[in-house]
């Protein structure tokens, strides 16, 4: 049984409030675990069935029907935190032999933070803390399941710890919140952004996108580092296109290329292993 998940609003910044609990934000992908009549099915937040991709989760049975909400994580043993690229390697695997190989080399953990149905009873109308109490009493079926920890009130202190460990961020949830299948201000996220300075090396002809580049280690050529699609206001775009006309060096079917003279600061989730910006958001030009 798929239940459309409750989604997060974005908080202005870290905060503390006794009406909220605060959880570490897990860097993986959302998962709804549904066990009905002894059959387990796993769904992404968009109702895509991913039962086959995670046999270490889908083969685990509770002694009763249950629907759980959480995140699929793939923990880097060196850093002790979830690695998003490893999660995507697991999610994108389709062939059975590849899935089984990755189950051994990149095992996942289902980090549970909510319980939506228990022994056939819909729990979504209960306050969050009552659902948390029921969740805490569950006996998890194997070592690939975990329950996300939380603290009450002290969101800023938790965020400081998250920053120190270079984790993704913090989720704030009102203690009295019921579970609704939409975006709600009762649940908010605070992302632990990193920042990078890049050069704009071109732009997309169709929908908006600035090509980003960074100097190579030798300081000569530019190395492509991704596409900036978000954050720029109409004023920023107008300023860029006014200046870039004099910097055009060529074009192809998709892009116009410019000299790397315009520098910008972006906020990012992190750098990927391939040296690309993950989820870059423009913040300002650097003059």
């Amino acid at each position: 049984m798929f239940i459309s998940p409750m989604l997060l609003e974005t908080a202005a910044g870290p905060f503390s409030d006794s009406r909220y609990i605060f959880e570490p934000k897990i860097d993986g992908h959302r998962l709804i675990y549904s066990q009905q009549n002894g059959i387990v099915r796993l769904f992404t937040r968009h109702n895509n069935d991913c039962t086959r991709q995670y046999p270490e989760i889908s083969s685990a049975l509770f002694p009763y029907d249950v629907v759980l909400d959480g995140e699929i994580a793939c923990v880097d043993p060196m850093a002790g935190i979830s690695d998003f690229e490893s999660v995507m390697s697991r999610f994108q695997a389709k062939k059975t032999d590849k899935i089984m190989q990755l189950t051994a080399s990149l095992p996942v953990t289902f980090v549970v933070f909510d319980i939506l149905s228990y022994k056939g009873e819909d729990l979504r109308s209960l306050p969050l803390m009552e659902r948390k109490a029921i969740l805490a009493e569950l006996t998890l079926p194997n070592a690939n399941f975990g329950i996300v920890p939380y603290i009450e009130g002290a969101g800023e202190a938790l965020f400081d710890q998250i920053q120190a460990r270079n984790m993704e961020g913090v989720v704030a949830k009102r203690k009295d919140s019921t579970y609704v299948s939409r975006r709600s201000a009762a649940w908010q996220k605070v992302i632990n952004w990193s920042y990078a300075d890049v050069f704009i090396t071109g732009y997309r002809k169709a929908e908006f996108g600035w090509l980003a580049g960074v100097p190579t280690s030798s300081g000569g050529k530019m190395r492509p580092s991704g596409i900036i699609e978000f954050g720029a206001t109409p004023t920023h775009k107008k300023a860029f296109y006014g200046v870039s006309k004099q910097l055009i060096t060529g074009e192809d079917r998709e892009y116009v290329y410019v000299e790397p003279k315009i520098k910008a600061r972006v906020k990012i989730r992190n750098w990927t292993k391939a040296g690309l910006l993950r989820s870059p958001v423009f913040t300002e030009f650097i003059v």
Side-chain angles (χ1 to χ4, degrees), residues 14 27 106-107 109 128 133 137 140 232 235 257 287:
D27 197 5
L106 285 176
T109 300
L128 172 64
E137 293 299 315
L140 301 178
T235 301
Y257 301 97
V287 181

Side-chain angles (χ1 to χ4, degrees), residues 206-219:
E207 70 273 19
F208 173 75
W210 287 336
L211 298 177
V214 293
T216 58
S217 56
S218 60

Side-chain angles (χ1 to χ4, degrees), residues 9 26 41-42 50 74 79 81 154 228 234 247 254 257 268 271:
E9 294 279 4
I26 308 301
R41 293 187 67 191
L42 310 178
C50 57
C74 200
I81 59 178
I228 304 167
L247 301 175
E254 292 185 70
Y257 301 97
I268 59 174
W271 289 93

